[in-house]
Amino acid sequence: MPLPDAEFFVSGIEEGNKSILARAITLIESNAPAHRQLAQLVLQQLLPRTGHSIRIGITGVPGVGKSTFIEAFGTHLCDLGKKVAVLAVDPSSTISRGSILGDKTRMEKLSRNPSAFIRPSPSGGTLGGLNRKSRETLLLCEAFGFDVVLVETVGVGQSETTVRSMVDFFLLLLLAGAGDELQGIKKGIVELADGIAVNKADGDNKIRAEASRLEYQHAVHYLHPATRGWTTQVRCCSAYAGDGIADLWKMTRDFSAATTVCGSWQQRRQQQVLAWLHSQVEDLVVQRFYHSAAVKEILPGLEQKVLNSEIPVTQAVEQLLGLV
Ligand SMILES: Nc1nc2c(ncn2[C@@H]2O[C@H](COP(=O)(O)OP(=O)(O)OP(=O)(O)O)[C@@H](O)[C@H]2O)c(=O)[nH]1
Ligand SMILES: [Mg+2]
């Protein structure tokens, strides 16, 4: 089947056709050169329509309640008349373990809401590749006209930094009293967060959640602020019961207002685009390097020499770089 042309995707997205948006995202996620070329054309034409949404990253350890939270938060935003897109960045995701796919049951209401769009994590590929795909998917969603884009990531490894680098506001979900308070800080994740929500603050857990909230609120005062012009706020919420959800939306609005006034909102977006440019260059240069015939030819021999301690690594690197 021949591929539709760029105009097909661009006008479909401009007209708000979700199935064409989904097809455009599939195109973006493809690694086939012809698809990538077409995807770039589509993106280029849509670029003037991007940049107008609030981009919110949501992270937290498995089971903290991210999907349940997104269901509640996203539904709340739709009730306010907003259009909401949900994306996921999960480097370990496969079809069977897809974080959002498997969880669509937890976002049942949201996935049926005409104002919402849920896109599971692109599977496979390196984090670098995922980074590109997720960013470009985010731009497509903005061009489509979503007011808020929620980017979910599982709270392990490097994916948090990746998501931080593509969103305006970063929300960390935590559990009360799991003894992980200082762990989170050690891992540096708390330092990335503009907002922290102690989730599952319901039933018997309410009091412990409030105690954790106070502890975190105290701790963030000693940390370097994640965003200039904003002090990280800590709240309790129950994604399950819907408590605190409206308050967290208000927090993102306050954040947006405060950082727009002091200029850090715009500054971050500019820095993000430049960082993306540079990381793309790095990815592609490395890719081309390893694909070059000359490198492929001598690399195994050099590896062996390094393993046999015949030449130092630095010398091997210089020889390799001399080839390209
Ligand atoms: N009591 C209570 N349970 C909750 C709350 N939020 C989520 N849960 C439950 O916690 C479990 C995990 O929730 P998920 O939303 O799947 O958590 P997740 O962070 O998306 O998990 P992963 O996708 O595995 O990383 C489910 O059984 C939820 O019903 C809450 O606010 N209160
Ligand atoms: Mg989930």
Side-chain angles (χ1 to χ4, degrees):
M1 204 172 67
L3 269 176
D5 60 6
E7 186 47 36
F8 168 84
F9 289 106
V10 171
S11 57
I13 286 174
E14 284 176 353
E15 285 158 16
N17 184 324
K18 273 193 208 169
S19 68
I20 294 182
L21 171 66
R23 285 181 70 180
I25 294 174
T26 309
L27 188 74
I28 293 267
E29 288 173 358
S30 166
N31 288 324
H35 292 174
R36 286 201 60 173
Q37 214 171 21
L38 180 58
Q40 291 314 307
L41 264 178
V42 172
L43 262 180
Q44 194 185 347
Q45 291 185 46
L46 289 173
L47 222 43
R49 298 173 67 98
T50 64
H52 305 299
S53 75
I54 297 187
R55 308 164 181 173
I56 302 176
I58 294 163
T59 192
V61 294
V64 70
K66 296 180 292 297
S67 305
T68 314
F69 177 84
I70 290 172
E71 163 89 346
F73 194 67
T75 304
H76 175 71
L77 296 182
C78 291
D79 289 347
L80 293 176
K82 309 269 177 221
K83 288 192 279 173
V84 180
V86 180
L87 316 175
V89 174
D90 177 3
S92 61
S93 162
T94 62
I95 296 299
S96 58
R97 276 197 62 236
S99 71
I100 280 201
L101 253 192
D103 273 358
K104 263 206 165 169
T105 46
R106 291 216 178 92
M107 298 190 209
E108 207 178 333
K109 217 167 132 196
L110 190 60
S111 62
R112 279 189 276 110
N113 195 314
S115 301
F117 175 81
I118 300 183
R119 182 70 187 181
S121 172
S123 55
T126 60
L127 197 57
L130 268 182
N131 184 355
R132 172 184 67 77
K133 292 170 190 177
S134 307
R135 276 175 181 280
E136 291 179 351
T137 300
L138 188 148
L139 292 176
L140 283 187
C141 288
E142 284 194 337
F144 189 89
F146 288 106
D147 304 296
V148 183
V149 183
L150 304 176
V151 188
E152 176 187 349
T153 186
V154 67
V156 284
Q158 208 196 323
S159 58
E160 259 132 356
T161 327
T162 303
V163 171
R164 169 76 270 188
S165 74
M166 61 178 82
V167 297
D168 306 305
F169 183 87
F170 200 51
L171 179 68
L172 170 64
L173 296 184
L174 292 170
L175 293 174
D180 56 355
E181 279 82 354
L182 287 170
Q183 256 180 51
I185 291 170
K186 253 191 249 159
K187 279 157 83 187
I189 292 165
V190 172
E191 278 168 308
L192 299 177
D194 298 304
I196 296 176
V198 183
N199 190 32
K200 307 198 186 181
D202 42 45
D204 293 348
N205 214 22
K206 248 183 171 165
I207 293 169
R208 285 197 307 154
E210 179 58 19
S212 286
R213 186 189 74 76
L214 288 172
E215 217 167 311
Y216 276 111
Q217 190 67 71
H218 181 70
V220 294
H221 285 301
Y222 296 102
L223 300 175
H224 190 71
T227 304
R228 183 172 58 81
W230 176 255
T231 306
T232 302
Q233 307 278 316
V234 191
R235 299 277 191 281
C236 286
C237 74
S238 169
Y240 204 62
D243 296 339
I245 298 295
D247 194 31
L248 285 162
W249 171 239
K250 183 178 177 300
M251 191 200 288
T252 64
R253 305 292 304 142
D254 291 346
F255 171 87
S256 159
T259 56
T260 302
V261 167
C262 80
S264 63
W265 175 282
Q266 300 85 330
Q267 190 189 22
R268 168 173 278 144
R269 283 210 171 176
Q270 288 180 349
Q271 284 169 346
Q272 287 177 337
V273 172
L274 292 183
W276 182 20
L277 169 75
H278 292 288
S279 79
Q280 285 292 289
V281 169
E282 282 164 31
D283 283 0
L284 286 178
V285 166
V286 170
Q287 225 179 64
R288 281 194 193 159
F289 175 81
Y290 283 111
H291 279 102
S292 104
V295 170
K296 277 185 182 163
E297 196 187 323
I298 72 154
L299 185 59
L302 279 177
E303 282 176 349
Q304 204 50 55
K305 282 186 182 164
V306 167
L307 285 175
N308 296 343
S309 302
E310 288 170 38
I311 56 167
V313 166
T314 318
Q315 194 184 325
V317 172
E318 273 171 16
Q319 276 190 40
L320 284 166
L321 290 182
L323 294 172
V324 288

